[in-house]
Structures are given as C-alpha cells and as structure tokens.
Amino acid sequence: MSFNSKYHIDVDFEVPKKLQWYYAPVFCAFWLCLYLSLVNTQINSMPRPLMRSDEATHPRSFIAQRAEDTLIELTRLGPRVVGSATNEVATVEFLRAEVAKVEAEMSDLYELELDVQLASGAYMHWEMVNMYQGIQNVIVKLSERNSSNENFLLMNSHYDSVPGSPGAGDDGSMVVTMLEVMRVLAKSGEPLAHPIVFLFNGAEENPLQGSHAFITQHKWAKNCKALINLDSAGSGGREILFQSGPNHPWLMNYYRSVPHPFANTLGEEMFQAGYIPSDTDFRIFRDYGGVPGLDMAYIFNGYVYHTKYDRINAFPRASFQHTGDNVLSLARALANAPEMDDTEAHAEGHNIFYDFLGWFMIFYTETTSIIINVVVGLLALLAIGISLYFMSVRSGCSWKGVLLRYGITLGMQLASLALAVGLALLVAVFMDGVNRSMSWFTSTWTIFGLYLAPIIFGMSILPALYLERTKRDPLGLGFRIQLFMHAHCFWLIVIMVTMTAVSIRSAYLIMLCVLFDIVALIVNLVTKWHRKAYLFAIAVTVCQILPFVYFTYLCTAALLTLMPMQGRSGSSSNPDLVVAALVGLFSLMFAGFIVPLIMFFRKTRTIVLCFLGITILFIIISVTNAAFPYKEKTSAQRYSLIHAHRRLHNADGSTRLDESGLYIYPQDRRIEIARDEINLLGEVQQVSETCDEEMFCGLPLYNHRWNKARKYSLWVPVSELPEIPNAEYPTLMLQDTSELESATRRRFNFSLTGPDHMGIFVNLKNDARLLDWSFNDTLVREQAEPPYMVYFSYGLDNSTLEFTIDVEKTTSTFDTPTLEIGIGGHWVNQDITAIPRLSKYMDRFPTYAFIQGWVGTYETWYF
C-alpha cells in the first residue's frame, strides 16, 4: 500500500487488511453467546431452596419450604381486601396462630409481644384525601427478655390484596418470609441488641393506609430507627433493593454482606422520579416518621401482579430462599448494629450502590462518586490526547491534521448516536401509529429486531460510509477506527459530567463505560498495540467483556421490570417509546465501543445494512399475529370494570339523569384491540365527553389513577341495574347547618353510610369558598381549586362517618346551591361468580383479557 510521498509512514505502524466478511457473524455470535451463557443465566440465578428435612443440618437458616407451605395456607383464604371478613377476621386470626407457633418454639432468651392495632386517620395521597376508619395492623415485637433498648428495627410487609387477587406474590410472599425470619431468629438464641418490630400491615393496597396508621399512631412507632420494607411488583424472581436511606449510607454497609445482592441506584432514581407506576410504604415511613431504611421488592413476572393469576403456582420456591437468606442476614446485622443507637449521627448523604451479577456489591457516597467521575473523566481526556499525539507521530500525519480528523469524527459520532436513538424512537412511533404497540409484551424476543437492530445500524452506518470514502487517508484504518472510539468516549464524558452536575447519581454507569475504555486505551498505549490494529482490537474486545456483561445484565433486568408494567401504565402514552429509549440508552453503554470493531470486516456496508434488514423483517413480523401482545394467564391484557348505577340530582331535588352502565378502564395502550367485543356491550361513550359538564365526569371514579385515566376510559349504558347487595345504596344525610362567625359563613354537618370503599366528591357552587372541613386539611391550607376527591375505606369499624364542611359566600346567599356532593359506592369484596349480571358482561371480553370487576353506584346532590 502506498500513500502520497509528502507523508512519512513509520515502519512500526501496521497497515491492516480487513478481515473477511464471514468472520463478522462469528464476532456477533461471540457477544450473543456471552449474553446467553452468563447474563441470561445470572439474571435468574437462585439458591437451592432448603426443605424441612434440611432444618436439622441448617438450624440457623431460612427454610423455603416452610415459607411456601405457609403461603399456600394464606392464599387459601382468598382475596384479602380491606373491609372483607377474610382480611379483617380470617387473616388476622391466621397471623395470630402463626405467631403462636413461633412463640411455642422460641428460645428462653427472648420475649414476644403481639398487638393488633385498630386505627383511623387520613392523609394526602397525590391529589386525593386518603381516609381510613377501623383498619388493622398485626404487630409483633421480638426482643431479648427484659431488654431496655428503646431503638427498634422495623420490618414491614402487607397482608391485604387488591380485589379479585389471591395476592400470593403481592404481598403474601413477603408476609410468610417475615414469619419464617421471625421463627428462625426466635429459635436461634442469638444476641439481639435491638428489638425487632414485625409489622404485618393490613391496608397497603388502599393505598398505604396501614403504614400511615402505624407510623403516626402506634406506641412503638417513635422507637423505630431503621426499616426493612418488603413489597412486590411481580411474582418471584430475585428481590431488588431499589431504595436506600435516604441520607443514611451506613445501611449499605450491612446490605453488602447479604448472600444474594441485587441492588441498583438507577432503580432508586427511576422509582423516585415516577417512572415506575407504583408506590410503597417506604415513602410513608420516610415522610411521616423520618425512618431511614431499605426498600426491597420482587419485580420480575409483573404480568400477574394485581390479577387473579397471582397465585402460589406462579411463585418459585427458590425465590423464598433468595429473599429469606437476604432478609434474615439483614435482620441479624441491623438488629445488632451500633448505628441503631443514634442513626442521625450517621446521616451523611446519598449512596451510589450496585451489584455485579449478584456476586458482590459496590457502594460509595455521592461525594466519593463526584470525585471518581471527575478523576475518570480527566484521565480519559488525557489518555485520548496522548493517543492522538502518537497517531500523529506514527502515521506521519500532522498534529493539526489528526485534530481535524478527530473533530470530524466527533461530529460524525454524535450524528450516529442521534441517528441510532432516533431510528429506535421512529420505529416506536410507527408501531404505535399502526396500532401495533406492545408487540414485545409477550414475545420479548422482538425487542432485538425492533429496537436493538436499528440502533446498531444507526451507530454504524455513518462511520462505515465515512471510512469507505476515506480509505486512502494517510491515517490508517486502525487509527481512524480508534478515532471513533475516542469520539464516543468524549461524548460519554460530556454526558457523565452533565449528569454529575445535576446530581443524577446514575452517572456512575457512564463512568464505568469511560473507565473500561481508558483501561483498554492505556493497555494499548503501554504495549504499543495501538499501532497494530488487530492487537488493538483484541485488547478492546477483552476490556469490553465486563462492561458488556454488566450493562446487558442491567438492561435485561430493567426490561423485565418495565415491560410488564406497561400493561398497567395507562393509555395516554406510547409504551414502545419507553422500551426504545431504554434499549437506546443502554446500547450506547454496552455497544458503543464494540460497534466500531465491525469496521475491520470486509463488506462493512453490507454487514451494517443487514441490521436494517433485520429491523424491517421484525416490523413485518410484529404487525402480524405472530407477535400478538397478550396471552391468557401469563401475560393478559388488563381492564377494570364497574357495573354501576348513577343518579344525578338537580338543585330542586329532581333527577336529571338516572342510568346504569359499564365503566371500563383500559389499563394499557392497546385500547382498540378489544373494541369489537366492547362495542357488542352497547353504545360506547368516552368518559371525557361529560367531564366538562359534571363533577368528576359524573361517574364513580375509584381513585386518583382513574381520574387521570378518564380521557381513555369508556362508559357503556346498559338497561340492567347492578346487583347491589341488599339494594342498599350509600346514604348521605345532611344533619344540620349552623352559622359560624357571620351570616356569610356556614357549617354543613353530614353523615354517610355505605360499603367499605366509597368516594366522596365535593364541589363548590355560586362563588362559595372552602374555609375548613373535618377531612385532612391539606387542600384547605393549600387553597386548592375544587372539585375535591376523598377516598374513604373502613375495616372492622363500619360505623357512620360524620363530617363537616365550612364554607363562605360573600357574593350570594345560602338560598342558592352552595355544595355539590357526589358519593361513589364500590362493592369490591364480592365473589364475582355470585353476581350473574356482572359476570355476563365480563365474559364478553376476549379470553386473553383479565377483568377486575365489581358493582358500584354514584349519586350527587346539591346543598
């Protein structure tokens, strides 16, 4: 090979010949095999579950079989909904009996105290007042006999479930885990410096009422100094630690010693930013009690979460062992931690934490993270500068010429990254535009062709064309490929610095990318392999194995978590954009330094175009039934349905609307897929059509999520009345009104009876102003605009709810309507099979759909 004579070519520089094209599939297969053999196995790696027969040889260990047997008994009780006899009586008695078994085996070193809390209260949950009456918590304190230590460890899970669900995964699995941990500790006779409070929470799904009742009212709440919160957004798999602290990094000192770590700062930031459509008791303990802790939950197999398929047969026994080993280890460690005596003295800021394939934990403080990110960034820039200098020296190309080429490559790489992510997002928009979003919901393999393939194509097509056009450049192919890697590293440094500057702790991910790249670069510079293209490529490949494994592991975990969640994230946004963005972001990390190596193969453009061809092929497959998104039992489409009767009254007491209908709340994007079946139910109306005319659309919205989803919800009038138990509708009575300080101010006294789940909706008329009410006063203090929503539920205490509303009218008299009040009644505890009319409507939906249904009423009055 010859170049223009004005350039001097160093004899030590190797001008490589491209590899034959047929090595490219081998190269791709290497990474695929690495993923399948290591990542795919580790993501589902579980310990061997211990059986009862193993207890003699493992007396200090968690026994998975016992936990499983206990869960079988718990789920046999049926759905455990707040207000039902199953939840308020049978489950409480079940827990009492299980605690009695523990006490019977307990070492003489300990004492055990059980308390069943009955509580009422209220607080703001997002936009609604969340009010409860007579709910229950079963609370057990395990301590050394005659212990005087007043600093307790709190462990929480909830035994209630959503309507219609056996609640095996959410959260029966964690309840029985706590029971088994309690049994092992109580029997062990080991030191327990700090008492442990086991909170079996009876009202989490309502939402989060049980934890609020405990932390704001119970006698032991003020003594709880640290928390282990156990919840579930799936069924089995490995539980993840996704929230820590906040501001208590010492907690991670103890978590890192658990036998099966699975934790990540990214999960914490995504959850706290609202990207995960869930909430946990951790927030209540943090906000209302200032209790720091660790928030752990199951996240895999979220397809059955909150459905009738959340059964014991969907929960693997090995998951009990995984979680039990970790929780038992944490309980032993934290209950004897000296930091528990003064947790505030150890409040030192946020953590960065992450595991590597479940093998070990890495964690450090946010301050340390900033230092590491800056140092790694500066080292990377220095290494890139040295590399560019050697390129100039070895190639005979001037320093200015190398910098010019690097500048061009920087622009080219930025355009490539934008093209890659842009193509993935374009596919997502196209799939949604042709009503084929969520094709990956059941057929997860389609993600490779739909989103990863176009990303690889976008990242490689511009470099391939550029290198082809500049093949006679005096800077050899190896050096020009290195320029693209250096350009990618530069843009990662920019992203890392930006994320660090705005306190996004997940910047550690970008830091790891940069770190492993500069390791490869330093190795190449020291060994002088950077002058020999193939040795350079081998060094890069070897140094990219660990980051590839880690980032694909993390990407897989994120996808396994988020994909099922898109089935309950509502209809307002395109879920394919979420998947495309996620795959795009992780691809920049696990493929950014691997894709340039494709340029070493002959027929590079053809190889790159193959990825475009794969994309087109998968789009074709995904618009056919081969990628139909739903499957009965394992990945069902979700709907909520209320067979409701609504009556809306005028100011004079007459009725302006009296009709029955079906309120249908589709919970994912594919709202048209069952449109034919829904149309057969009757004349379909959009709920949003009446929202401007009626308070809260004039319909029995169950909670704030239903209010947010009203634009995509449906109302289908039907002739049949719902089968309301004993035909007893909620009864709202105006007891009296009384004048306050002046004639312009008046108090309205009401009483309300009805089912154990009701919505109270309040609107102000004729320029009335809310002064106060007997509900939580947050909306009053914040002078929020009406109308207002109050979610009300009760457990054991079904006594009449009495409430007051104080209003002021300065421009009109009280002879005109002042208040409009609506009451929604929800009978969520009934056996659906015992309600023929409701069952008939539910059966008309496709077999792949899961319908969470109940009967309800809605009635409004003016006062």
Side-chain angles (χ1 to χ4, degrees):
M1 182 178 290
S2 63
F3 297 123
N4 191 302
S5 60
K6 70 178 181 178
Y7 293 102
H8 168 69
I9 308 301
D10 193 291
V11 294
D12 290 334
F13 174 66
E14 179 186 283
V15 180
K17 292 182 180 180
K18 282 195 169 187
L19 295 170
Q20 292 295 332
W21 66 268
Y22 45 76
Y23 289 113
V26 177
F27 176 74
C28 294
F30 167 76
W31 298 105
L32 178 61
C33 290
L34 189 63
Y35 174 81
L36 293 176
S37 63
L38 190 55
V39 177
N40 197 49
T41 55
Q42 283 304 121
I43 201 76
N44 296 306
S45 177
M46 294 284 187
R48 181 183 72 85
L50 295 180
M51 310 296 285
R52 289 178 183 267
S53 58
D54 295 314
E55 187 172 355
T57 55
H58 298 78
R60 299 179 66 253
S61 297
F62 185 97
I63 305 299
Q65 187 186 28
R66 180 180 282 106
E68 182 183 59
D69 292 343
T70 307
L71 183 58
I72 290 172
E73 295 301 316
L74 177 61
T75 54
R76 280 177 179 166
L77 299 176
R80 304 174 299 279
V81 184
V82 169
S84 67
T86 303
N87 194 68
E88 308 305 331
V89 179
T91 306
V92 172
E93 289 305 312
F94 173 86
L95 291 171
R96 283 182 178 274
E98 291 300 316
V99 172
K101 293 177 186 177
V102 171
E103 193 168 17
E105 298 182 45
M106 186 171 61
S107 165
D108 292 338
L109 177 66
Y110 305 118
E111 60 183 3
L112 189 149
E113 184 177 351
L114 184 147
D115 182 47
V116 178
Q117 180 188 22
L118 188 69
S120 302
Y123 73 100
M124 283 300 299
H125 188 79
W126 308 123
E127 298 91 3
M128 71 180 188
V129 175
N130 191 5
M131 186 175 183
Y132 53 90
Q133 175 178 292
I135 62 167
Q136 298 183 97
N137 291 317
V138 178
I139 310 161
V140 181
K141 184 176 73 167
L142 178 68
S143 60
E144 289 188 358
R145 195 171 296 277
N146 300 319
S147 171
S148 60
N149 195 305
E150 296 185 351
N151 300 305
F152 305 164
L153 170 65
L154 174 64
M155 193 181 301
N156 173 73
S157 65
H158 67 92
Y159 60 81
D160 67 314
S161 68
V162 296
S165 175
D170 181 31
D171 192 28
S173 58
M174 292 302 194
V175 168
V176 300
T177 295
M178 279 175 47
L179 285 170
E180 177 63 6
V181 166
M182 185 196 305
R183 185 197 67 82
V184 176
L185 290 174
K187 195 175 179 180
S188 67
E190 301 169 1
L192 205 64
H194 302 278
I196 302 178
V197 173
F198 295 85
L199 170 58
F200 299 96
N201 172 340
E204 190 269 354
E205 300 290 3
N206 266 31
L208 313 183
Q209 294 173 346
S211 54
H212 182 267
F214 173 81
I215 203 64
T216 59
Q217 301 177 43
H218 197 268
K219 60 183 178 181
W220 294 331
K222 66 180 183 299
N223 300 104
C224 294
K225 304 302 181 182
L227 163 73
I228 301 174
N229 190 59
L230 303 172
D231 209 336
S232 177
S235 182
R238 302 158 62 205
E239 87 291 340
I240 186 172
L241 170 66
F242 63 99
Q243 292 192 91
S244 170
N247 300 317
H248 284 262
W250 63 272
L251 289 165
M252 291 305 300
N253 277 321
Y254 297 98
Y255 181 82
R256 69 175 174 180
S257 63
V258 301
H260 320 294
F262 186 32
N264 200 278
T265 294
L266 176 64
E268 178 177 69
E269 292 194 313
M270 289 179 65
F271 189 88
Q272 293 177 354
Y275 296 123
I276 308 297
S278 294
D279 202 357
T280 76
D281 291 315
F282 182 89
R283 181 175 67 83
I284 300 299
F285 294 123
R286 179 195 68 198
D287 294 352
Y288 291 91
V291 183
L294 303 170
D295 200 5
M296 302 160 68
Y298 293 115
I299 55 173
F300 296 159
N301 195 19
Y303 298 105
V304 302
Y305 170 76
H306 282 190
T307 72
K308 65 182 180 182
Y309 306 117
D310 185 11
R311 301 167 180 158
I312 183 65
N313 59 1
F315 196 94
R317 180 181 290 168
S319 292
F320 288 114
Q321 197 66 52
H322 189 281
T323 306
D325 289 347
N326 286 346
V327 174
L328 182 58
S329 172
L330 273 175
R332 283 183 171 131
L334 291 177
N336 291 288
E339 292 90 344
M340 289 282 292
D341 290 317
D342 187 3
T343 55
E344 287 306 310
H346 301 277
E348 302 172 8
H350 288 291
N351 273 324
I352 283 76
F353 56 90
Y354 49 97
D355 73 290
F356 183 78
L357 302 185
W359 295 345
F360 57 86
M361 279 293 301
I362 298 173
F363 85 96
Y364 41 86
T365 65
E366 187 173 16
T367 302
T368 303
S369 172
I370 294 171
I371 297 171
I372 291 174
N373 293 352
V374 170
V375 170
V376 169
L378 291 176
L379 285 175
L381 291 174
L382 177 62
I384 290 172
I386 294 173
S387 178
L388 294 179
Y389 169 75
F390 279 121
M391 284 185 192
S392 173
V393 171
R394 296 300 178 185
S395 68
C397 188
S398 68
W399 174 245
K400 184 181 294 186
V402 171
L403 289 179
L404 176 62
R405 287 165 175 79
Y406 185 50
I408 294 171
T409 307
L410 281 171
M412 193 78 66
Q413 183 65 13
L414 182 61
S416 296
L417 298 179
L419 178 63
V421 176
L423 285 174
L425 296 176
L426 181 62
V427 172
V429 171
F430 172 79
M431 295 300 294
D432 187 58
V434 297
N435 291 323
R436 289 297 184 272
S437 61
M438 297 181 65
S439 58
W440 35 261
F441 192 66
T442 295
S443 306
T444 56
W445 49 270
T446 59
I447 286 180
F448 169 77
L450 287 177
Y451 299 116
L452 182 57
I455 287 169
I456 294 176
F457 170 78
M459 292 174 69
S460 54
I461 186 61
L462 294 181
L465 294 174
Y466 174 76
L467 292 174
E468 184 177 317
R469 293 287 300 272
T470 59
K471 58 186 176 182
R472 296 188 179 277
D473 193 289
L475 200 63
L477 176 65
F479 281 159
R480 283 180 289 142
I481 292 174
Q482 289 180 51
L483 285 179
F484 277 102
M485 293 184 176
H486 296 343
H488 187 68
C489 184
F490 175 83
W491 291 120
L492 289 179
I493 293 171
V494 171
I495 295 171
M496 179 180 69
V497 170
T498 303
M499 293 174 69
T500 304
V502 296
S503 300
I504 298 177
R505 287 170 287 141
S506 296
Y508 88 88
L509 295 167
I510 310 300
M511 179 276 295
L512 291 176
C513 293
V514 175
L515 176 64
F516 281 94
D517 178 58
I518 63 172
V519 168
L521 181 53
I522 292 171
V523 168
N524 277 312
L525 290 173
V526 171
T527 60
K528 300 184 180 180
W529 287 355
H530 67 289
R531 291 185 275 170
K532 300 179 180 181
Y534 296 136
L535 290 177
F536 155 79
I538 290 172
V540 170
T541 300
V542 171
C543 289
Q544 283 301 308
I545 288 176
L546 280 180
F548 174 83
V549 167
Y550 177 68
F551 290 125
T552 53
Y553 164 80
L554 204 57
C555 182
T556 302
L559 287 171
L560 290 175
T561 302
L562 290 176
M563 286 192 302
M565 287 182 178
Q566 302 313 303
R568 55 185 176 87
S569 294
S571 307
S572 61
S573 60
N574 179 4
D576 277 53
L577 288 175
V578 175
V579 174
L582 185 70
V583 175
L585 292 174
F586 276 104
S587 296
L588 302 187
M589 293 182 273
F590 71 73
F593 296 108
I594 296 174
V595 166
L597 298 178
I598 296 174
M599 309 304 154
F600 279 117
F601 299 101
R602 292 182 182 274
K603 299 185 178 181
T604 304
R605 184 167 42 168
T606 303
I607 294 170
V608 171
L609 288 172
C610 285
F611 288 99
L612 179 60
I614 291 171
T615 303
I616 295 171
L617 174 63
F618 271 69
I619 290 175
I620 294 172
I621 293 173
S622 296
V623 298
T624 68
N625 284 335
F628 187 76
Y630 308 112
K631 188 175 181 181
E632 187 180 2
K633 296 183 180 179
T634 56
S635 48
Q637 186 182 31
R638 299 167 184 251
Y639 293 87
S640 292
L641 183 148
I642 306 175
H643 185 195
H645 181 206
R646 61 173 179 164
R647 294 184 295 208
L648 310 181
H649 301 289
N650 295 314
D652 61 3
S654 61
T655 301
R656 68 177 182 276
L657 181 65
D658 186 341
E659 71 171 353
S660 296
L662 304 175
Y663 189 110
I664 302 172
Y665 168 22
Q667 295 189 26
D668 71 18
R669 184 68 165 180
R670 296 293 294 272
I671 56 178
E672 297 298 324
I673 199 167
R675 176 64 74 169
D676 290 342
E677 288 85 351
I678 293 174
N679 286 340
L680 293 175
L681 297 172
E683 182 183 350
V684 179
Q685 304 170 8
Q686 295 293 135
V687 166
S688 56
E689 292 175 3
T690 61
C691 292
D692 292 335
E693 304 168 8
E694 301 290 348
M695 174 179 62
F696 286 105
C697 309
L699 290 165
L701 305 181
Y702 184 59
N703 57 32
H704 65 286
R705 290 187 186 276
W706 289 53
N707 185 40
K708 289 181 178 180
R710 65 188 185 275
K711 180 179 178 181
Y712 297 93
S713 298
L714 308 173
W715 174 255
V716 183
V718 296
S719 58
E720 295 180 309
L721 288 169
E723 295 166 289
I724 304 299
N726 302 317
E728 294 181 357
Y729 286 38
T731 302
L732 177 70
M733 298 289 294
L734 176 62
Q735 300 293 345
D736 60 65
T737 62
S738 56
E739 187 175 297
L740 298 177
E741 295 87 352
S742 67
T744 61
R745 298 186 172 193
R746 185 165 295 186
R747 170 169 292 169
F748 292 77
N749 295 279
F750 295 96
S751 64
L752 174 65
T753 59
D756 46 52
H757 287 71
M758 289 186 281
I760 304 170
F761 307 92
V762 179
N763 200 6
L764 302 174
K765 311 299 289 187
N766 297 312
D767 299 320
R769 183 171 70 90
L770 180 65
L771 295 175
D772 199 3
W773 61 8
S774 57
F775 304 126
N776 178 277
D777 66 351
T778 302
L779 294 175
V780 178
R781 287 187 287 102
E782 295 179 352
Q783 299 182 359
E785 291 294 319
Y788 312 113
M789 177 186 291
V790 178
Y791 177 95
F792 173 66
S793 64
Y794 61 78
L796 273 184
D797 182 3
N798 63 353
S799 60
T800 299
L801 172 67
E802 297 184 351
F803 62 93
T804 62
I805 302 176
D806 297 349
V807 295
E808 180 181 46
K809 295 179 78 173
T810 56
T811 60
S812 62
T813 68
F814 286 100
D815 293 331
T816 59
T818 303
L819 295 172
E820 180 184 13
I821 297 183
I823 302 296
H826 301 273
W827 283 262
V828 296
N829 295 322
Q830 289 182 283
D831 179 5
I832 300 300
T833 60
I835 313 175
R837 296 173 195 168
L838 176 62
S839 298
K840 177 184 67 175
Y841 292 124
M842 292 171 60
D843 290 343
R844 294 183 183 178
F845 280 79
T847 56
Y848 58 76
F850 165 70
I851 314 300
Q852 183 186 55
W854 60 81
V855 295
T857 61
Y858 183 71
E859 195 163 6
T860 64
W861 302 267
Y862 286 97
F863 298 95

